Amino acid sequence: DAISFEGMQRSGAGNAADALARTPGATVMGGYAIIRGLGDRYSNTTLNGSVMPSPDPDKQAVPVDLVPSSLLDNIVVQKTFTADKPGNFSGGSVNLQTRSFPEGRSLSISTSGANNGLLSDNAISALSGSGDKWGYDNGLRAIPDYVTQNLSSMPSGAISTKDKDHAFTVDRLTKAFSSEGEPQKRKFPVSPNYSIMYGNTKSLFGHPLGLVGTFSYNRTYSTITNGLY
């Protein structure tokens, strides 16, 4: 089963994961491909036929949501073994075929968005910092310095003490954590997806040199209904 570059454009897929989810027999969970219902450990990912290394040492598959669709010519999902493919999969093998070098200068800009109807005004949001939109924590979730310096005084459960100094320390430990950690109800915006690709061909020592660069940004929101922790 395969999906071409034209099919990715028609479906509005911003990355390989979005395109792969539209392929028969393939689903995507957490950015990893699941073929024929088998987990990521039973699948492998190749780039132009070469096995791609996984950034996670505990997983064999590669997070395909890191690959923008603008760099791909097609995606082929193979569910049976052939002599020219690696044999370390039982669910399926995903081959990402990149586009050929551009014949001239090209610039492609695409945008898309998705909305989750369950994330209404009554949705409860977890702790969120200003850096979350860029994929890093701005220190809001950091353990306070007072707590790290007094870990020996941290109680392991409910306590009752008559020691005023200990009670004062426990009180400070409790209040050292930010009160912003309390879940709050909020309305979630539309999940954005932006992609920019630039390509050009230059001459290097009398030989053509193809250049392709891309920038992509994606942010998604999910929710759990009637969930229990």
Side-chain angles (χ1 to χ4, degrees), residues 25 35 37 49 119 125 148 151 154 171 188 191 216 224:
I35 312 299
L119 297 176
S125 170
T148 57
L151 284 178
M154 180 69 72
D171 183 63
F188 290 81
S191 300
S216 60
I224 299 176

Side-chain angles (χ1 to χ4, degrees), residues 23 31 42 67 84 95-96 102 110 136 150 154 176 186-187 213 217:
T23 305
Y42 300 102
V67 183
D84 60 332
N95 183 49
L96 307 177
S110 62
Y136 71 92
N150 297 273
M154 180 69 72
R186 58 176 288 223
K187 183 177 181 179
Y217 176 83

Side-chain angles (χ1 to χ4, degrees), residues 155-160:
S156 58
I159 63 170
S160 177

Side-chain angles (χ1 to χ4, degrees), residues 38-104:
L38 297 176
D40 51 78
R41 63 177 295 185
Y42 300 102
S43 305
N44 67 10
T45 307
T46 59
L47 182 67
N48 298 330
S50 300
V51 177
M52 296 179 65
S54 174
D56 190 337
D58 298 325
K59 294 181 181 293
Q60 176 177 261
V62 176
V64 290
D65 58 343
L66 299 180
V67 183
S69 59
S70 55
L71 288 182
L72 300 176
D73 183 67
N74 60 73
I75 301 176
V76 178
V77 179
Q78 185 166 334
K79 305 170 188 175
T80 56
F81 296 101
T82 57
D84 60 332
K85 298 294 182 182
N88 60 339
F89 69 90
S90 56
S93 178
V94 179
N95 183 49
L96 307 177
Q97 189 72 31
T98 58
R99 300 178 64 185
S100 59
F101 288 140
E103 298 180 356

